[in-house]
């Protein structure tokens, strides 16, 4: 009985950790199998969690009682809310982490999870039942584990190969051997597979950097936690520094392109568009004379790894000697010493169009896929998939129906819908621009959207549910009071609120929608200013967006009624406002004859379609 479980999770990365914990929270007897216990929860590339779009995913993972937000709070040493100057819908919480503290936090959370066993084992084979469904796994050492649900979260390890220039070695990441036998087994099962690549920069010796000569990149004075369970951040906070490439750097890169694994033809897999290597940046953006580089310490001083610096922005597969020459052309890095050179890693992935929206393989019932194996890039994308796959693996083992999230529910729903309906041609990264409902899918309201759903799934524990219930009651109470309190224009104008003297009474919600300053609100409703910041900011944001939300809903409905609009043969897509370079490229490559054809182009986001539709209708009207 000791090797019989309800759910088996293969892989101890971010996807595997979230999958195992979620399945166990749902009551499934779960085992997580990993090559090396010490690397469970390790941050393989950059020492950071969150960002634009990615921060939304972390908040959603947390809302469903996942691990990533709590671990980032326990390990965070440099917090920053990105896009602060823009509206709340696109705010991107981000935290740079101490690698060791993050791994330790994940280990602590996993070991505290009931129903979960962690074991060291290299999985070589999948076992199938006579009906074609999965029945368990066999390991390299001959051990067999049985379960009706298996989640594969192999990251970059499926037949992984790392490249230092023309030198290669089999590995999922430096120092860790790949999962070659499992990759061959998946291919033998006839699954649609391909190759992708990603990369990482060199790690630098902090003492070799002229730290004080560089511009400071400070974190927020008041760090904002990811998790609703975190009261405050207690770690010491550090500053980063900023440098940049220059023409000398670019000359070295251009002269060495034939030595790059990417440009010499050694790598067939396509890399991430939005996290390109420094070689890609120099080639694709030839007009740029410099690229900004953030120097991020990997740990607090005195902690393991505290002497290492991650130069964010120079991922590369150039030979180590070229990397050293390149790095030493940059300000502050003239004497920099490379502790470990950067490299590219190429690996197998499964075409995600082979999956259902529950992340189960259609061809093999009970087999779920999560993380980079599905063609994504990033810790956050992996963790979000892992959580949903883990919940569904537990539900299948218990005989329950699968659960999904729609595009209007969550960024997790947007990502999974993109993956399983459109597939990938390059590693998928989450951005706010991918979501057509981003005014409602905000990072600040993730718990209000998803914690009730998680409760019905059975993956939210009592402590979080109780705290959430208290927060929801407080928000409802504040919103109702703000709707009931009203004023005539005269006292509003006297308080400094800009309104028309039309004699109409306005509620506090109406006043908040005008963007009135805190001083004015304090004069009118001191009780509101005294509310806890989370409650006050939520009510303010909902009031601010109230008018836009109704209009956005109408626009989405209209999409389906506009399919016959013609796209002229000589149409210039560069004139469509709001299109990203990626969306413009996809439209130009396909050049649809009408709007219906545009809707069928793989990889085009609903927001890009709405931008195109608005431009076409404007042309028609003219």
């Amino acid at each position: 009985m000791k090797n019989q479980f309800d759910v088996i999770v293969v892989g101890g990365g971010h996807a595997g950790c979230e999958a195992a914990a979620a399945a166990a929270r749902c009551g499934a007897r779960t085992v997580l199998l990993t090559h090396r216990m010490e690397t469970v929860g390790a941050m393989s590339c950059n020492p950071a969690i969150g960002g634009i779009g990615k921060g939304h995913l972390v908040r959603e993972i947390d809302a469903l009682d996942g691990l990533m937000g709590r671990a980032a709070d326990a390990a965070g040493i440099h917090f920053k809310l990105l896009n602060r100057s823009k509206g709340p819908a696109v705010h991107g919480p981000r935290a740079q982490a101490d690698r060791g503290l993050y791994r330790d936090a994940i280990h602590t959370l996993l070991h505290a999870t009931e129903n979960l066993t962690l074991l060291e084992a290299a999985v070589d084979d999948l076992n199938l039942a006579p009906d074609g469904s999965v029945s368990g796994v066999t390991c390299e050492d001959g051990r067999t584990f049985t379960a009706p649900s298996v989640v594969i979260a192999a990251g970059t390890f499926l037949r992984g190969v790392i490249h230092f220039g023309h030198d290669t070695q089999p590995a999922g990441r430096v120092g860790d051997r790949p999962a070659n036998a499992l990759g061959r087994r998946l291919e033998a099962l006839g699954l649609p597979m391909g190759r992708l690549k990603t990369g990482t920069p060199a790690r630098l010796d902090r003492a070799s950097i002229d730290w004080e000569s560089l511009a400071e990149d400070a974190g927020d004075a008041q760090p904002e936690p990811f998790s609703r369970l975190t009261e405050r951040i207690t770690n010491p906070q550090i500053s980063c520094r900023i440098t940049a490439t220059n023409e000398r750097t670019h000359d070295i890169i251009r002269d060495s392109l034939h030595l790059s694994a990417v440009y010499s033809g050694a790598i067939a897999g396509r890399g991430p568009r939005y996290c390109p290597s420094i070689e890609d940046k120099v080639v694709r953006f030839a007009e740029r004379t410099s690229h900004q580089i953030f120097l991020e310490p990997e740990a607090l001083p005195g902690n393991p790894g505290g002497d290492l610096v991650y130069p964010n922005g120079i991922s590369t597969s150039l030979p180590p000697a070229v990397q050293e020459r390149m790095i030493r052309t940059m300000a502050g890095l003239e004497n920099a010493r490379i502790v470990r050179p950067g490299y590219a890693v190429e690996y197998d992935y499964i075409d995600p169009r082979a999956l259902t929206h529950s992340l189960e393989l259609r061809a093999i019932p009970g087999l779920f896929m999560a993380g980079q194996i599905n063609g994504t890039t990033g810790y956050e994308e992996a963790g979000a998939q892992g959580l949903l796959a883990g919940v569904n693996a537990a539900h299948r083992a218990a005989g329950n129906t699968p659960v999904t999230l729609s595009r209007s529910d969550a960024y997790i729903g947007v990502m999974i819908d993109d993956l399983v309906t459109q597939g990938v041609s390059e590693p998928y990264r989450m951005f706010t621009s991918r979501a057509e409902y981003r005014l409602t899918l905000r990072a600040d309201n993730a718990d209000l959207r998803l914690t009730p759903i998680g409760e019905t799934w059975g993956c939210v524990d009592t402590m979080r549910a109780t705290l959430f219930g208290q927060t929801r009651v407080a928000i409802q109470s504040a919103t109702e009071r703000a709707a009931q309190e009203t004023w005539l224009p005269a006292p509003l104008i006297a308080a400094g609120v800009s309104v028309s003297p039309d004699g109409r009474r306005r509620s506090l919600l109406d006043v908040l929608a005008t963007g009135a300053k805190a001083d004015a609100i304090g004069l009118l409703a001191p009780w509101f200013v005294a509310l806890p910041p989370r409650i006050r900011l939520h009510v303010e944001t909902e009031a601010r967006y109230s008018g836009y939300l109704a209009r956005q809903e109408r626009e989405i409905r209209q999409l389906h009624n506009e399919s016959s609009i013609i796209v002229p043969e000589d149409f210039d897509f560069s004139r469509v406002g709001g299109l990203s370079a990626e969306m413009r490229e996809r439209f130009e490559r396909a050049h649809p004859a009408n709007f219906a054809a545009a809707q069928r182009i793989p990889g085009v986001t609903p927001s890009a379609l709405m931008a195109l539709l608005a431009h076409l209708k404007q042309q028609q009207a003219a």
Side-chain angles (χ1 to χ4, degrees):
M1 293 291 292
K2 68 178 183 179
N3 288 353
Q4 294 182 6
F5 294 90
D6 299 318
V7 174
I8 297 168
V9 177
V10 180
H14 302 281
C17 290
E18 295 291 353
R25 290 198 306 278
C26 288
R29 289 178 298 111
T30 305
V31 62
L32 187 155
L33 303 177
T34 179
H35 279 198
R36 285 201 298 151
M37 197 63 64
E38 65 189 83
T39 60
V40 169
M43 306 177 89
S44 300
C45 191
N46 65 315
I49 295 291
I52 307 300
K54 290 172 172 283
H56 290 69
L57 290 175
V58 181
R59 286 280 176 81
E60 292 181 352
I61 291 170
D62 184 68
L64 294 167
D65 217 9
L67 313 180
M68 187 172 284
R70 283 177 280 171
D73 290 344
I77 56 177
H78 181 277
F79 285 79
K80 184 175 286 188
L81 185 66
L82 306 181
N83 271 351
R84 188 181 289 274
S85 63
K86 300 181 180 180
V90 293
H91 285 174
R94 183 183 188 270
Q96 189 183 323
D98 180 307
R99 287 188 189 275
L101 293 179
Y102 187 89
R103 184 192 60 232
D104 291 347
I106 290 292
H107 277 246
T108 298
L109 290 166
L110 289 175
H111 286 295
T113 302
E114 296 182 5
N115 305 315
L116 178 58
T117 301
L118 281 71
L119 294 174
E120 280 192 351
V123 173
D124 275 5
D125 201 2
L126 287 172
N127 303 324
L128 303 183
D131 64 359
S133 64
V134 74
S135 62
V137 301
T138 298
C139 300
E140 182 182 63
D141 59 10
R143 282 181 294 172
T144 296
F145 296 85
T146 63
S149 294
V150 174
V151 180
I152 297 183
T156 61
F157 281 71
L158 283 184
R159 291 190 283 193
V161 177
I162 62 175
H163 298 256
F164 301 89
H166 291 166
D167 294 333
T168 65
Q169 56 184 267
R173 62 177 165 234
V174 69
D176 288 307
R177 58 195 180 91
N180 288 337
L182 183 58
R184 290 192 296 268
R185 173 59 166 150
L186 293 175
E187 183 177 52
L189 288 170
L191 301 180
M193 300 176 70
R195 298 284 278 177
L196 291 174
K197 80 100 177 169
T198 188
T200 192
R203 304 303 194 271
L204 307 180
D205 181 354
R206 179 171 181 157
S208 69
I209 298 172
D210 186 2
W211 204 253
E212 298 306 321
S213 71
L214 299 171
E216 182 181 10
D217 176 37
D220 291 340
Q222 296 294 325
E224 183 176 324
F226 277 107
S227 177
R228 293 302 182 199
L229 299 183
T230 304
E231 291 187 11
R232 63 187 181 90
I233 302 302
T234 58
N235 282 333
Q237 298 296 291
I238 64 169
S239 289
C240 301
R241 291 294 189 273
I242 304 172
T243 186
T245 63
N246 52 57
E247 286 287 13
R248 286 192 301 143
T249 319
H250 296 185
D251 285 343
I252 290 172
I253 293 169
R254 280 189 286 262
D255 291 344
S256 305
L257 284 177
H258 63 288
L259 302 174
S260 164
V262 175
Y263 283 88
S264 67
I267 294 179
R270 189 167 179 178
R273 173 190 297 259
Y274 296 106
C275 189
S277 67
I278 189 62
E279 300 98 289
D280 283 335
K281 290 180 183 178
V282 169
V283 172
R284 286 169 47 193
F285 308 105
E287 73 284 358
R288 294 277 300 273
T289 58
S290 70
H291 296 278
Q292 203 169 51
I293 309 300
F294 290 87
L295 301 177
E296 302 174 342
E298 298 212 339
L300 290 170
N303 283 2
D307 57 338
L308 297 180
V309 171
Y310 180 94
N312 194 339
I314 51 171
S315 169
T316 183
S317 65
L318 288 165
V322 177
Q323 293 183 40
E324 183 175 88
R325 289 172 50 217
M326 169 187 75
I327 287 169
R328 289 186 172 181
T329 62
M330 302 179 212
L333 304 183
E334 293 87 352
N335 299 303
R337 187 176 72 86
I338 294 178
V339 178
R340 192 187 79 196
Y343 60 89
V345 56
E346 189 179 22
Y347 56 94
D348 286 347
Y349 79 102
I350 305 294
D351 186 335
R353 290 173 294 186
L355 304 170
T356 68
H357 278 75
S358 66
L359 297 181
E360 184 177 19
L361 270 171
R362 293 188 183 89
I364 306 176
L367 184 57
F368 297 81
M369 303 286 180
Q372 285 179 282
I373 194 173
N374 291 338
T376 59
T377 183
Y379 307 149
E380 303 82 2
E381 290 87 348
Q385 292 172 71
L387 191 148
L388 190 73
V391 169
N392 275 308
H395 279 223
R396 190 183 193 283
N400 299 327
T401 56
V403 298
T404 60
L405 291 169
S406 73
R407 300 183 71 93
S408 59
D409 290 328
Y411 273 83
I412 298 175
V414 172
M415 173 179 62
I416 291 174
D417 185 61
D418 284 347
L419 292 173
V420 304
T421 60
Q422 300 171 3
V424 298
S425 58
E426 60 194 41
Y428 177 99
R429 179 175 179 174
M430 176 51 69
F431 287 104
T432 54
S433 60
R434 295 189 187 275
E436 61 271 45
Y437 291 101
R438 58 184 174 272
L439 293 183
T440 53
L441 305 184
R442 304 190 307 273
D444 67 274
N445 68 0
D447 57 337
L448 295 168
R449 291 184 281 113
L450 295 180
T451 300
I453 294 175
E455 290 183 78
T456 66
W457 291 354
C459 66
V460 172
D461 73 10
T462 303
M463 180 174 67
R464 185 181 295 272
T466 300
L467 179 63
F468 169 73
Q470 294 169 351
T471 301
R472 181 164 56 180
V473 168
I475 288 173
Q476 289 173 342
S477 176
T479 303
E480 290 170 1
R481 184 172 178 182
Q484 292 166 0
E485 290 196 8
T486 61
W487 298 268
L488 290 168
L492 293 177
I493 294 170
V497 180
S498 178
V499 294
S500 173
D502 54 11
R504 182 171 64 86
R505 298 190 72 87
R506 289 169 173 81
S507 70
L508 179 55
L509 292 180
D510 296 325
V511 173
L512 293 171
T514 69
K517 295 183 178 179
D519 290 346
I521 301 301
L523 289 172
L524 295 166
W527 66 268
F528 184 77
V529 178
L531 288 172
R534 191 313 168 72
I535 308 301
R536 174 170 47 80
L537 290 173
H538 178 83
V539 176
E540 286 179 354
T541 302
E542 288 291 306
R544 176 179 176 180
Y545 283 149
S546 59
Y548 297 102
L549 293 172
R551 185 176 70 186
Q552 186 180 70
E553 290 288 345
R554 290 195 300 270
E555 289 174 348
I556 298 298
R557 288 195 298 269
Q558 288 171 0
L559 266 178
H560 302 288
N561 300 325
E562 309 289 350
S563 297
S564 61
I565 294 179
I566 300 299
V567 179
E569 286 188 15
D570 59 348
F571 187 78
D572 184 3
F573 289 96
S574 68
R575 299 181 63 183
V576 179
L579 282 187
S580 68
E582 178 188 2
M583 293 300 104
R584 186 168 65 249
E585 179 182 319
R586 290 181 187 274
F587 279 133
E588 288 172 346
R589 187 165 60 243
H591 210 100
N594 53 45
F595 189 67
Q599 290 176 294
R600 294 192 292 270
I601 299 173
V604 172
T605 63
S607 57
L609 288 170
M610 284 191 285
L612 174 63
L613 175 61
H615 190 89
L616 291 171
K617 293 180 74 173
Q618 187 179 37
Q619 277 198 336
Q620 281 188 341

